[in-house]
Amino acid sequence: MSATETFYDVIRRQGITRRNFSKFCSLTAASMGLGATGASQVAHALETNPRVPVIWMHGLECTCCSESFIRSAHPLVKDVVLSMISLDYDDTIMAAAGHQADAILQETRQKYKGKFILAVEGNPPLNEDGMFCIDGGRPFVEKLKEMAADAMAVIAWGSCASWGCVQAAKPNPTHAVPIDKVITDKPIIKVPGCPPIAEVMTGVITFVNTFGRLPELDRQGRPLMFYSQRIHDKCYRRPHFDAGQFVEEWDDENARKGFCLYKMGCKGPTTYNACSTVRWNDGVSFPIQSGHGCIGCSEDGFWDKGPFYERLSNIHQFGIEANADKIGIAATAAVVGAMAIHAGITAVGRLRANGKPHDTPPSAPQK
Amino acid sequence: MRDDLEAAELAARLEEHFEELYERCMKDMPICNPHLRVACIGFRPYGDFNLGIVLTPWFMNVCASPRAGAPKVEDRPGATRGLALPTGNVDFLATDLDGFDRLLFASLFSPMDDFADHAAAQATAEAAMDALMKPPEPASPPSPPPKKEPVALDRRAFFRLGRRA
């Protein structure tokens, strides 16, 4: 394996056809919102750029991120992206084990110093010098810091690596922390969700491979292309919310009519994720479509935010980049008036960014 | 002029509808911002639709309702429908409201907690309406094309006998 091998070389060697490769490119370009020229852009980059190796490490976690990832909608997506990953290191899905696996880790680290992506699923516990998560005979936190030191960038898979999730929920006996508490000198892309959507995960990896840089992130480090809108903004039950039509009790008449689940504890109004647009399992459904409210699994500290079935009453979030907590005119008219204008323009920009041309679906490049 | 009247009439009917809805079933809900009132902002004809912004204590949406004589919205409620507006393509959701033909809503804000007062929400809606009706400004000037890697003697130069163009 030479260092200048491209991603395309790898998948061709694995017997994936040119046609399937093109399909993958257009699918991924569409999910990233790259528009009509995106597919050829992705294809060109994957054919010519040197492959970016991915090291996938596991801390305290449940493997739901991996489970989601290997079930990407298009059967090819997993083949394609797994080619990128399994060649290097993922202790759950790689064939190697024990010392052999550890050797691969060290080898990749040395060979691709400063050039590989470190993807982290789960998080490190800090109590008792990290003894609550031992990986290959050493505390996970040590290995994580060591690998991060030589990585180009770090991806935090899921809510565990991004925010802490259930193992960091109160009282957090192992003192589990999100990875940005121990990796402070590298850019970190947070891809929260429990688990994150498969298409979002492949989208993030492919973006870095295609453009050789990180996608645009919000202030919390999440890629804007997938986390700029709330579940509520694009929910197919949203018209019922607007019209004041709510499910009042499980399995009542309104539930059968598919009314809004806000009163049953749905956290859609405060949760940033792509579930209501990308959906799950090849776009088949998402929690609200199956009749259950959103539990807000991609939000910081969701385990400690109260019961899943309790109505949202305390909403301290805002989808726009305002500089203060409140947008008000009464206080200081000039400054805050400008803020209102900024808020309005930003909201429209968000609508536009997510609006897709409907008559021109992206098509695979013809070769 | 008649077109403007139609848009104004729609705005008035929507205001009345949501005011009644607020009093009847939304008023005590924590998702509402009690400092806000129902208002319809900037309603005007645009193509086959009357377009404007509906502001209530629980949402602020862009509303597109088919004009008289224009084709009705056939999408089922909750389905996504894209419209090309001056600002770009915007995804709307087909919505049924009691007493109205099926119309299209696109969410700008909801919940509305972060608006301190009605004037702020109204100003935001007006700014949003202006932004909808004009093409977006380019975010940044296009980056210059990447420079070619310098080579001692490329093929082209070789055939020119070393003279650089």
Side-chain angles (χ1 to χ4, degrees):
Chain A
M1 190 170 73
S2 82
T4 53
E5 186 177 50
T6 69
F7 172 66
Y8 183 65
D9 295 337
V10 178
I11 61 151
R12 287 292 283 159
R13 202 171 56 228
Q14 298 207 341
I16 288 163
T17 61
R18 172 84 204 168
R19 177 178 291 267
N20 268 344
F21 171 70
S22 298
K23 269 192 200 160
F24 166 76
C25 293
S26 39
L27 211 98
T28 308
S31 84
M32 294 192 286
L34 292 181
T37 56
S40 49
Q41 224 176 338
V42 171
H44 181 74
L46 295 183
E47 281 165 352
T48 49
N49 295 353
R51 181 181 70 98
V52 180
V54 180
I55 294 279
W56 189 313
M57 293 179 82
H58 299 249
L60 287 186
E61 46 90 4
C62 72
T63 313
C64 75
C65 299
S66 293
E67 290 286 345
S68 168
F69 186 77
I70 60 176
R71 279 164 186 75
S72 296
H74 195 280
L76 186 85
V77 174
K78 65 172 191 292
D79 287 343
V80 167
V81 185
L82 285 181
S83 318
M84 209 152 29
I85 292 161
S86 62
L87 279 172
D88 299 294
Y89 181 88
D90 180 325
D91 47 31
T92 304
I93 54 178
M94 70 199 291
H99 293 300
Q100 195 190 8
D102 250 19
I104 296 174
L105 199 60
Q106 295 310 328
E107 191 192 309
T108 309
R109 184 180 145 217
Q110 281 153 14
K111 193 166 165 187
Y112 295 99
K113 194 169 178 162
K115 289 184 190 138
F116 67 90
I117 298 174
L118 177 65
V120 186
E121 182 175 349
N123 56 25
L126 302 186
N127 265 359
E128 310 286 350
D129 298 322
M131 294 303 278
F132 292 104
C133 185
I134 299 293
D135 176 347
R138 292 164 61 201
F140 172 67
V141 61
E142 277 181 23
K143 265 181 137 169
L144 176 65
K145 284 184 187 165
E146 187 181 286
M147 292 304 294
D150 289 333
M152 170 178 83
V154 181
I155 301 179
W157 283 149
S159 296
C160 299
S162 300
W163 319 125
C165 205
V166 66
Q167 52 281 46
K170 287 169 193 154
N172 191 0
T174 65
H175 192 203
V177 294
I179 61 165
D180 62 359
K181 292 281 184 289
V182 294
I183 304 171
T184 48
D185 57 346
K186 295 281 162 163
I188 297 180
I189 311 170
K190 291 182 176 177
V191 187
C194 195
I197 304 171
E199 283 70 24
V200 171
M201 301 173 82
T202 42
V204 169
I205 289 192
T206 312
F207 185 95
V208 179
N209 255 284
T210 302
F211 299 104
R213 62 180 163 84
L214 306 192
E216 202 185 337
L217 306 178
D218 69 5
R219 279 179 301 174
Q220 297 191 61
R222 301 174 290 194
L224 276 169
M225 64 177 98
F226 298 115
Y227 292 90
S228 64
Q229 287 203 314
R230 291 175 240 231
I231 303 288
H232 184 59
D233 294 332
K234 288 288 169 72
C235 177
Y236 80 108
R237 296 194 187 205
R238 173 62 186 270
H240 295 297
F241 171 87
D242 294 342
Q245 298 165 330
F246 299 97
V247 174
E248 304 283 343
E249 227 178 292
W250 293 117
D251 209 25
D252 66 359
E253 189 53 32
N254 293 353
R256 283 176 211 145
K257 286 183 188 158
F259 282 4
C260 175
L261 292 160
Y262 161 69
K263 286 189 177 178
M264 305 308 292
C266 181
K267 307 292 185 286
T270 53
T271 303
Y272 288 84
N273 207 336
C275 302
S276 53
T277 48
V278 177
R279 305 196 186 186
W280 291 78
N281 299 324
D282 205 359
V284 167
S285 186
F286 71 114
I288 295 169
Q289 197 173 341
S290 65
H292 191 284
C294 165
I295 60 172
C297 75
S298 55
E299 286 302 306
D300 192 358
F302 86 99
W303 287 100
D304 291 328
K305 279 184 174 168
F308 294 161
Y309 302 103
E310 195 167 274
R311 192 178 307 172
L312 264 180
S313 54
N314 198 5
I315 301 147
H316 291 297
Q317 309 202 15
F318 212 37
I320 59 165
E321 304 211 354
N323 293 316
D325 288 327
K326 295 264 182 201
I327 297 184
I329 295 248
T332 47
V335 177
V336 200
M339 253 177 72
I341 291 169
H342 177 70
I345 293 171
T346 311
V348 170
R350 210 167 48 233
L351 275 184
R352 187 175 58 235
N354 285 280
K356 295 173 186 69
H358 288 259
D359 300 322
T360 51
S363 55
Q366 300 297 314
K367 284 261 172 169
Chain B
M1 203 57 217
R2 235 190 78 232
D3 296 342
D4 288 348
L5 269 179
E6 189 193 325
E9 192 213 348
L10 172 73
R13 279 177 60 218
L14 282 168
E15 270 182 25
E16 195 186 331
H17 173 81
F18 282 109
E19 273 163 6
E20 188 270 332
L21 191 62
Y22 180 62
E23 291 298 326
R24 181 161 52 89
C25 54
M26 294 301 289
K27 206 173 180 177
D28 301 323
M29 268 203 269
I31 201 144
C32 287
N33 178 344
H35 304 295
L36 306 185
R37 303 188 303 274
V38 172
C40 285
I41 293 126
F43 270 80
R44 67 195 72 175
Y46 180 79
D48 279 348
F49 293 90
N50 284 310
L51 195 71
I53 288 178
V54 179
L55 161 64
T56 72
W58 63 103
F59 69 82
M60 186 196 294
N61 286 354
V62 184
C63 169
S65 171
R67 293 167 65 182
K72 293 201 185 303
V73 176
E74 300 288 352
D75 313 71
R76 62 191 157 73
T80 305
R81 161 91 175 266
L83 289 186
L85 300 181
T87 188
N89 290 304
V90 172
D91 283 344
F92 285 79
L93 288 173
T95 301
D96 277 342
L97 297 174
D98 285 344
F100 291 83
D101 284 340
R102 190 163 297 163
L103 45 77
L104 301 171
F105 268 164
S107 171
L108 286 170
F109 297 99
S110 174
M112 304 291 284
D113 269 38
D114 292 87
F115 290 103
D117 49 38
H118 185 75
Q122 177 114 13
T124 304
E126 282 162 8
M129 198 62 208
D130 287 347
L132 273 177
M133 298 315 283
K134 63 181 178 205
E137 286 165 23
S140 57
S143 51
K147 275 188 189 155
K148 273 195 179 165
E149 247 176 59
V151 275
L153 185 64
D154 61 20
R155 276 165 70 94
R156 193 171 289 262
F158 174 73
F159 286 116
R160 284 204 203 96
L161 300 175
R163 278 171 293 142
R164 291 293 181 130

